[in-house]
């Protein structure tokens, strides 16, 4: 039933679980403080953490795939992630 998990997949999943826990905790803090200015500060912190988690999980995945994927495809993946981050950060 259970198979041995690949280390990269486990690392990516654990990072996403941690990120999700931070999101839930941030929502709790927003409700607990019940102040708009503090909620915006908390939300701004999450806006920094989200792309960081994306970069880290992608880096873990790419490290695991480095031996299986050609250099050209690796560059395309990195470029794609860069476009996603640039698109999110653009005004």
């Amino acid at each position: 039933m259970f198979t041995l998990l690949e280390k990269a997949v486990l690392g990516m999943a654990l990072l996403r679980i941690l990120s999700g826990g931070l999101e839930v905790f941030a929502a709790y803090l927003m409700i607990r403080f019940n102040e708009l200015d503090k909620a915006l500060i908390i939300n701004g912190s999450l806006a920094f953490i989200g792309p960081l988690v994306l970069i880290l999980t992608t880096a873990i995945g790419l490290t695991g795939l480095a031996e299986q994927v050609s250099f050209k495809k690796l560059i395309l993946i990195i470029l794609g992630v860069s476009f996603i981050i640039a698109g999110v950060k653009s005004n």
Side-chain angles (χ1 to χ4, degrees):
M1 176 170 254
F2 291 102
T3 60
L4 186 61
L5 290 177
E6 189 173 329
K7 289 180 184 180
V9 174
L10 183 59
M12 292 171 72
L14 289 175
L15 192 54
R16 284 295 176 181
I17 289 170
L18 177 65
S19 173
L22 286 172
E23 294 273 348
V24 172
F25 184 65
Y28 164 76
L29 288 177
M30 287 179 188
I31 293 169
R32 177 94 163 97
F33 290 130
N34 195 29
E35 294 179 30
L36 187 56
D37 58 335
K38 290 182 181 178
L40 286 172
I41 291 170
I42 294 167
N43 192 58
S45 300
L46 289 176
F48 172 73
I49 292 171
L52 184 62
V53 170
L54 172 67
I55 291 168
L56 289 174
T57 55
T58 303
I60 292 170
L62 289 175
T63 302
L65 281 179
E67 296 174 355
Q68 301 171 4
V69 176
S70 70
F71 183 72
K72 180 182 174 183
K73 287 185 180 181
L74 198 60
I75 294 298
L76 287 174
I77 292 169
I78 292 170
L79 188 61
V81 172
S82 300
F83 283 146
I84 290 170
I85 293 169
V88 170
K89 291 296 180 183
S90 295
N91 290 339

